[in-house]
């Protein structure tokens, strides 16, 4: 048997971080067993579909390196891979269920169903539809329609016994059939709902393993009933623990962003990404851009391998110590037996730690290639870049070191790319460090020393400053902080002498002159 897994996102919203974890586990299982990973778009809910969401879903998978063997933009022998284009197959299955007696036309109104629910609640019993408005024959249907009623197609679920199956993660599972509702599988307009469409498509695509999030566990009885009623072989089921909110037990959701922002680490992650996205002109509304959505990390400049490595460990582990895995190692070691049943909490701090470690391991040329597009987007570097950009940029990236945790962090060092007369001053730092009695005079005097230097590397600049301090009998803090604000506009940043060397003598002198003018103004 060839293993075939699938991930079936719905374009009703952007690619969720928990969904990516589910897709990853499907991808790894298929690759581990030499099988195929299929991407299918479950777009049966036309009213909720967001046209703009599909492209980020596909782009997100490509960016993460989760390639699919069949699906959109790839094709395959089971096309089409959009559920909305497979309605004839779904309608044929609904007819088969009706003809075989496993489903029926129901003519109950919403008010009539609600009255039955309220009666069950009043009598403190589980609601089970009476099937009073069920039509199993054409004559019954004609009578109901003569009353002006319309119908939906419902499953005729068993009322006794149990639905029992083996879950590859949770073991033996059983549901009482009597607690299952007669679920609607086809609307009055002929369109079919998710559960029927999903079962039919899984069978048509020859899916062998349905690996999905735990919240779908309760859907399994009705889907097993549909599959068996249609004569399909059942796939193996595996229900993954959901990705929980930071320091919580509930499933993480983009709709709870305000709640998560009370978590310091989550807020830090969100603020950091939003600042970068805003700088490059990316839409930053909470609906389309926050740390629960994959597009957030792509726009901010995370490494795909860092994201994948972190998500792998949300609900799976090899042992109690190994955290770093290459893609090949992931495929080699992955198994459903090592998936935990308990939810795994999303930890922004740990994710950031993975990102930093992967950035530290990245060759300098790749780091430069990663940050360059961000400088181009804000106009700091020409596109294509000038021939002298790469050496300068390489030095800045090397000097920044671990300060560049994501590619977008290069924008924090804009002082090296803006023109001298356009560099803004951090007014708070300026007031604190420059507008002090005697400080402008010290700066002016030290400027003269810098102007006399023949060499202008960081060693020479440092020696000149220390000599200046000794000669004027002052402390280093009396001058170095003001010097930083003068040449970078900021109160913090790279090493002072590295910054002087990177900017060069002429630019440093010009910026000190401008600082002194600003102080006098």
């Amino acid at each position: 048997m060839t293993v075939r897994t699938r991930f079936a996102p719905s374009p009703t919203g952007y690619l969720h971080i928990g969904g990516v974890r589910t897709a990853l586990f499907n991808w790894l299982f298929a690759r581990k067993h030499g099988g195929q990973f299929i991407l299918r778009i479950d777009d049966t809910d036309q009213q909720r579909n967001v046209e703009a969401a599909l492209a980020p879903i596909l782009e997100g998978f490509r960016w993460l390196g989760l390639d699919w063997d069949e699906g959109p933009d790839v094709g395959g022998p089971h096309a089409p891979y959009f559920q909305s284009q497979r309605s004839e197959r779904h309608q044929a299955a609904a007819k088969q269920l009706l003809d075989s007696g496993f489903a029926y036309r129901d003519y109950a109104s919403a008010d009539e169903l609600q009255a039955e629910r309220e009666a069950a609640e009043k009598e403190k019993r589980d609601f089970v539809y009476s099937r009073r408005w069920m039509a199993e024959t054409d004559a019954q249907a004609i009578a109901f329609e003569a009353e002006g009623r319309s119908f939906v197609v419902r499953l005729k679920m068993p009322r006794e016994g149990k639905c029992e199956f083996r879950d590859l993660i949770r073991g033996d599972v059983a549901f009482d059939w009597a607690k299952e509702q007669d679920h609607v599988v086809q609307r009055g307009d002929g369109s079919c709902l998710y559960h029927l469409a999903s079962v039919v498509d899984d069978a048509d695509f020859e899916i062998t393993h349905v690996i999905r999030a735990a919240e779908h566990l309760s859907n399994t009885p009705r889907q097993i009933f549909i599959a068996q009623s249609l004569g399909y072989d059942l796939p193996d089921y595996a229900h993954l623990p959901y990705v929980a909110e930071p320091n919580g037990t509930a499933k993480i959701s983009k709709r709870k962003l305000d709640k998560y922002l009370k978590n310091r680490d989550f807020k830090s992650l969100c603020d950091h990404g939003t600042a970068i996205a805003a700088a490059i002109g990316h839409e930053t509304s909470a609906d389309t851009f926050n740390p629960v959505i994959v597009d957030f990390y792509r726009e901010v400049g995370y490494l795909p391998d860092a994201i994948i490595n972190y998500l792998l460990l949300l609900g799976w582990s090899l042992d109690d110590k190994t955290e770093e895995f290459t893609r090949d190692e992931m495929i080699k070691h992955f198994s459903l037996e090592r998936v935990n049943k308990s939810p795994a909490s999303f930890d922004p701090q740990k994710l950031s730690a993975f990102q930093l470690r992967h950035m530290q391991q990245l060759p300098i040329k790749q780091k430069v290639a990663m940050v360059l597009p961000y400088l181009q987007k804000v106009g700091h570097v020409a596109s294509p870049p000038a021939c002298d950009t790469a050496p300068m940029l390489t030095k800045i990236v090397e000097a920044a070191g671990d300060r560049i945790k994501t590619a977008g962090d290069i924008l924090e060092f804009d002082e090296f790319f803006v023109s001298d007369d356009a560099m803004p001053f951090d007014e708070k730092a300026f007031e604190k460090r420059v507008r002090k009695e005697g400080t402008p005079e010290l700066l002016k005097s030290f400027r003269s020393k810098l102007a006399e230097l023949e060499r202008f590397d960081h060693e020479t600049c440092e020696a000149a400053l220390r000599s200046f301090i000794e000669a004027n009998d002052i402390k280093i803090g009396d001058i170095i902080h003001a010097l930083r604000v003068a040449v970078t506009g900021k109160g913090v940043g790279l090493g002072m002498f590295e910054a002087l060397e990177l900017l060069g003598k002429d630019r440093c002198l010009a910026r000190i002159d401008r600082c002194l003018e600003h102080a006098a103004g």
Side-chain angles (χ1 to χ4, degrees), residues 20 37 40 56 60 64 93 127 194 216 241 260 361 364 373 414 431 486:
V20 173
F37 172 63
R40 183 179 75 223
L64 290 166
F127 166 66
Y194 162 76
H216 290 286
Y260 304 149
Q361 297 164 11
I364 188 65
D414 57 343
E431 289 293 326

Side-chain angles (χ1 to χ4, degrees), residues 15 41 126 152 190 229 254 289 305 312 389 429 453 475 481:
L15 193 55
I41 306 301
D126 293 335
V152 295
S229 299
K254 70 174 186 177
F289 190 80
D305 283 345
L312 172 69
T389 297
L453 297 179
K475 298 177 180 178
H481 300 303

Side-chain angles (χ1 to χ4, degrees), residues 15-285:
L15 193 55
H16 188 279
I17 200 75
V20 173
R21 197 282 309 268
T22 298
L24 170 63
F25 283 18
N26 275 276
W27 184 85
L28 288 171
F29 189 81
R31 296 291 176 260
K32 170 70 176 288
H33 296 281
Q36 285 100 43
F37 172 63
I38 292 87
L39 184 63
R40 183 179 75 223
I41 306 301
D42 281 5
D43 55 348
T44 53
D45 192 346
Q46 293 294 311
Q47 291 184 341
R48 294 183 60 216
N49 288 342
V50 180
E51 185 176 350
L54 180 58
I57 288 174
L58 300 181
E59 291 168 6
F61 278 118
R62 292 190 189 97
W63 175 68
L64 290 166
L66 299 181
D67 57 320
W68 54 98
D69 302 293
E70 297 176 27
D73 297 345
V74 173
H78 301 88
Y81 293 91
F82 290 81
Q83 278 195 337
S84 61
Q85 299 172 18
R86 301 178 56 80
S87 58
E88 289 186 6
R89 283 287 301 125
H90 307 149
Q91 290 169 357
K95 184 177 185 302
Q96 182 180 339
L97 291 172
L98 283 169
D99 292 344
S100 58
F102 292 110
Y104 61 89
R105 287 168 288 184
D106 179 43
Y107 286 86
S109 68
D111 289 341
E112 288 162 343
L113 287 173
Q114 182 60 28
E116 288 203 358
R117 290 192 183 92
E118 290 174 357
E121 184 178 355
K122 185 177 180 179
E123 297 169 15
K124 297 182 179 180
R125 59 176 171 80
D126 293 335
F127 166 66
V128 178
Y129 176 39
S130 68
R131 297 175 181 166
R132 177 181 170 184
W133 295 275
M134 172 178 68
E136 293 187 290
T137 66
D138 289 342
Q140 290 172 323
I142 291 171
F144 282 130
E145 289 172 10
E147 298 175 13
R149 294 175 178 271
S150 59
F151 74 90
V152 295
V153 176
R154 291 185 182 275
L155 297 174
K156 193 175 183 181
M157 301 294 289
R159 292 290 170 85
E160 58 182 23
K162 291 181 180 292
C163 173
E164 299 177 326
F165 61 95
R166 178 76 176 175
D167 188 285
L168 297 180
I169 293 173
R170 297 169 186 279
D172 292 330
V173 180
F175 289 88
D176 291 329
W177 282 123
K179 293 183 179 180
E180 288 294 313
Q181 302 299 321
D182 288 358
H183 305 285
V184 177
V185 293
Q186 189 176 32
R187 303 179 183 92
D189 63 3
S191 61
C192 295
L193 276 72
Y194 162 76
H195 294 291
L196 176 61
S198 183
V199 171
V200 171
D201 290 348
D202 282 348
D204 284 356
F205 293 174
E206 303 178 87
I207 300 302
T208 61
H209 294 76
V210 174
I211 304 170
R212 57 190 182 183
E215 56 261 36
H216 290 286
L217 183 61
S218 61
N219 299 331
T220 309
R222 78 192 73 168
Q223 294 178 357
I224 286 178
F225 178 79
I226 293 171
Q228 291 177 331
S229 299
L230 292 171
Y232 299 158
D233 292 331
L234 293 180
D236 287 327
Y237 293 99
H239 289 90
L240 308 171
Y242 58 75
V243 177
E245 57 194 20
N247 300 325
T249 56
K251 178 185 174 183
I252 193 168
S253 167
K254 70 174 186 177
R255 296 178 181 87
K256 297 182 180 179
L257 182 61
D258 289 343
K259 175 184 176 182
Y260 304 149
L261 290 177
K262 296 177 183 178
N263 177 295
R264 182 181 62 184
D265 295 330
F266 194 95
K267 186 177 187 305
S268 176
L269 176 65
C270 192
D271 289 348
H272 172 254
T274 300
I276 292 173
I280 61 176
H282 182 89
E283 172 62 46
T284 58
S285 72

Side-chain angles (χ1 to χ4, degrees), residues 454-493:
E454 294 184 6
R455 292 180 57 189
F456 206 80
D457 54 31
H458 66 276
E459 293 93 346
T460 305
C461 290
E462 181 176 6
L465 183 69
R466 296 197 180 281
S467 175
F468 180 80
I469 290 168
E470 184 176 346
N472 288 273
D473 193 23
I474 59 174
K475 298 177 180 178
I476 190 170
D478 294 335
I479 181 65
I480 196 169
H481 300 303
L483 178 63
R484 178 183 295 282
V485 174
V487 299
T488 70
K490 302 174 181 177
V492 295

Side-chain angles (χ1 to χ4, degrees), residues 389-408:
T389 297
M392 174 69 169
L393 184 53
T394 298
K395 291 178 181 178
I396 293 170
V397 172
E398 287 178 329
D402 290 349
R403 293 182 180 90
I404 298 180
K405 296 180 176 64
T406 70

